[in-house]
Amino acid sequence: MPATLKIWHPFTNAALDPAPLHVVRAEGVWLHLADGHKILDAISSWWVNLHGHANPRIAAAIAAQAQKLEHVILAGFTHDAAEELAERLRKWAPPNLTHMFFSDDGSTAVEVAMKLAVQHFSNSGRLEKKEIVALEHGYHGDTAGAMSASDDSPFTEPFRSMRFPVHRVHSAYCYRCPVGLRRESCHIECLDQLAALLEERGEQIAAVIVEPLLQAAGGMIVHPVEFLQKVRKLCDAHDVLLIADEVLTGFGRTGKMFACDLAGVAPDLMCVSKGITGGFMAMGVTLCDEYVAAAFNDDNRSHTFYHGHSYTGNALACAAANANLQIFDDEPVFDRIANIARITSERLLHFAAMPQVGDTRQIGTIGAIELRADDAGYLSAMRPKLYNFFLERGVLLRPLGNVVYVLPPYVISPEELHRAYDVIQEAIETLF
């Protein structure tokens, strides 16, 4: 008899990490385990869940769609659920974004955006504009192109030879300012590096890609709104496209529907995923403006965007996304978001005064606590200690090395949210 086929779990070392916990069902913010215990999901299961696990409205929409059409090739075909989603996104997306391309997840949405940017200029006869600029501490996914745009890290190191070169410029990491200034008195001088690069190589650069206002996997780094606003102005000055990777920040996480809304910035391309289906189905969407799309619409067959995925525009995923957006229309979702933000702000004030804490950061529903560490970074020895401590107390939190963050579903109650922060406080006081 062959050996049992074993599941290879992501971001897991089977020789070092504990055995996976077996979830048999979930409801709201709670994961129910096979052994009878339950875990408070304080990170929305890797940032995807918006309205609670097993939300009945989204589940019913998927079931109803499955009775009509589960999937059809989107090349040469369309269907009601996809057309409805285009109309629903039109309500929320920046008005200049007039075209949308479906893919499978956040990483592939980023791949689409970078390919669109480069081919836009190629189709326009400007073959030299093909370079990409990305930020330090950035993370855009694990496929080859998205990994190339991501900063050097333990995630990317084994694949150095597979990554294409990008220009890397300073991020607005105010706690660890790359130019040695303080936010209270600076004028966003960290952008001088990008300004100089665009002045020198603007004729060769196709796009700048950013995670607007929040670099998530890089340590929940919150940027001043002025940073994004000035990036937009620099791109405009050099005819460089701005790609906003809103894979995490979209659908209310930052307090507005999209992070770009907070800064009053309209990107040329925008990538969305994670929360688009409320956490039920895998889906990615790349939106772009008419300027980008126009370069693909002519009688030259070679100007076609030859890119696609087998499950592009999957009808079940579209149905989930439509139900998710209907919840935004029908229920007080932004009131829930405001309540999470208020409690988070109150709790972070206490953490900021703790000697073990170097910095606290918040944007909308997301609160982050950066602990002082000699080995700061994703591989900090603090991480496994914290992670195990949290699970032993029934809370799912996955620290980014020495950075602990809370990113809950919007249906979390005040008591449940305080429980998450209480466990963090207990861990800091007990372990360090």
Side-chain angles (χ1 to χ4, degrees):
M1 292 290 291
T4 301
L5 188 62
K6 296 182 180 180
I7 299 172
W8 197 323
H9 295 267
F11 288 81
T12 300
N13 186 322
L16 299 174
D17 295 322
L21 301 177
H22 192 143
V23 179
V24 293
R25 66 182 181 90
E27 182 179 11
V29 299
W30 293 99
L31 306 174
H32 294 264
L33 306 184
D35 64 5
H37 289 88
K38 62 180 185 178
I39 302 289
L40 173 63
D41 184 356
I43 60 165
S44 301
S45 283
W46 251 345
W47 320 340
V48 301
N49 193 283
L50 299 187
H51 309 299
H53 291 282
N55 181 279
R57 296 184 64 177
I58 302 177
I62 295 171
Q65 181 64 47
Q67 297 296 316
K68 296 186 295 183
L69 172 68
E70 82 299 340
H71 182 66
V72 65
I73 182 175
L74 212 65
F77 291 83
T78 189
H79 55 80
D80 290 344
E83 297 293 334
E84 179 183 343
L85 181 53
E87 289 300 314
R88 288 186 178 277
L89 282 175
R90 172 68 283 145
K91 172 182 176 179
W92 295 104
N96 68 307
L97 300 182
T98 54
H99 294 70
M100 59 185 287
F101 191 97
F102 288 105
S103 58
D104 294 348
D105 55 26
S107 184
T108 53
V110 168
E111 300 274 351
V112 168
M114 291 193 294
K115 290 177 72 173
L116 284 174
V118 171
Q119 190 176 344
H120 161 84
F121 288 111
S122 175
N123 287 357
S124 303
R126 303 170 69 183
L127 302 181
E128 73 284 355
K129 281 181 78 70
K130 57 186 178 181
E131 299 173 5
I132 302 293
V133 181
L135 300 184
E136 294 171 348
H137 310 293
Y139 173 80
H140 299 283
D142 294 327
T143 51
M147 182 175 63
S148 298
S150 303
D151 202 356
D152 298 339
S153 73
F155 306 164
T156 63
E157 179 57 31
F159 316 109
R160 182 183 296 272
S161 64
M162 296 173 59
R163 299 166 70 200
F164 64 75
V166 303
H167 299 285
R168 189 82 54 195
V169 296
H170 291 323
S171 159
Y173 192 173
C174 296
Y175 175 57
R176 302 179 184 274
C177 178
V179 293
L181 300 177
R182 296 182 62 83
R183 177 68 192 102
E184 297 80 12
S185 57
C186 84
H187 299 285
I188 319 295
E189 284 89 348
C190 52
L191 268 178
D192 291 350
Q193 192 179 42
L194 174 61
L197 176 64
L198 292 179
E199 186 65 34
E200 177 187 354
R201 296 197 62 80
E203 292 301 315
Q204 289 77 43
I205 291 170
V208 175
I209 183 168
V210 301
E211 298 160 90
L213 302 185
L214 176 71
Q215 293 183 291
M220 294 296 167
I221 301 165
V222 178
H223 293 169
V225 294
E226 295 90 344
F227 182 83
L228 183 60
Q229 291 166 346
K230 291 187 176 186
V231 171
R232 172 74 277 181
K233 291 179 180 178
L234 286 169
C235 288
D236 287 341
H238 296 277
D239 192 18
V240 168
L241 300 175
L242 174 60
I243 302 172
D245 177 354
E246 293 250 17
V247 169
L248 164 62
T249 54
F251 304 101
R253 291 295 185 192
T254 65
K256 295 285 189 180
M257 197 59 158
F258 297 106
C260 285
D261 298 338
L262 283 174
V265 165
D268 302 295
L269 301 106
M270 186 167 78
C271 312
V272 296
S273 184
K274 291 195 182 292
I276 191 171
T277 66
F280 273 69
M281 303 283 292
M283 170 175 273
V285 174
T286 304
L287 301 100
C288 72
D289 61 17
E290 182 61 35
Y291 174 64
V292 173
F296 296 82
N297 298 326
D298 60 36
D299 58 5
N300 186 337
R301 180 67 72 177
S302 69
H303 289 180
T304 302
F305 187 50
Y306 288 113
H307 181 104
H309 304 266
S310 298
Y311 283 93
T312 289
N314 175 257
L316 300 180
C318 288
N322 288 325
N324 167 43
L325 292 174
Q326 186 65 49
I327 291 172
F328 275 92
D329 288 338
D330 295 346
E331 299 182 20
V333 176
F334 282 98
D335 290 343
R336 296 168 186 160
I337 287 170
N339 288 333
I340 294 170
R342 176 183 54 80
I343 292 172
T344 295
S345 179
E346 293 170 356
R347 294 304 301 261
L348 289 183
L349 285 174
H350 173 79
F351 285 104
M354 298 179 73
Q356 303 96 323
V357 173
D359 189 37
T360 60
R361 303 186 278 272
Q362 179 184 6
I363 184 168
T365 64
I366 303 162
I369 301 156
E370 180 164 347
L371 300 174
R372 301 183 189 278
D374 294 332
D375 61 345
Y378 189 81
L379 296 183
S380 172
M382 288 183 170
R383 187 201 171 279
K385 295 178 183 178
L386 289 163
Y387 178 67
N388 293 332
F389 186 97
F390 298 144
L391 282 184
E392 288 169 1
R393 282 149 183 80
V395 180
L396 172 56
L397 293 161
R398 285 181 62 89
L400 297 164
N402 61 307
V403 177
V404 182
Y405 68 92
V406 177
L407 198 160
Y410 302 149
V411 295
I412 194 168
S413 71
E415 294 75 20
E416 291 163 340
L417 184 55
H418 279 297
R419 170 62 179 155
Y421 282 111
D422 287 345
V423 168
I424 295 173
Q425 180 176 334
E426 182 186 2
I428 295 172
E429 294 173 343
T430 303
L431 299 177
F432 311 108

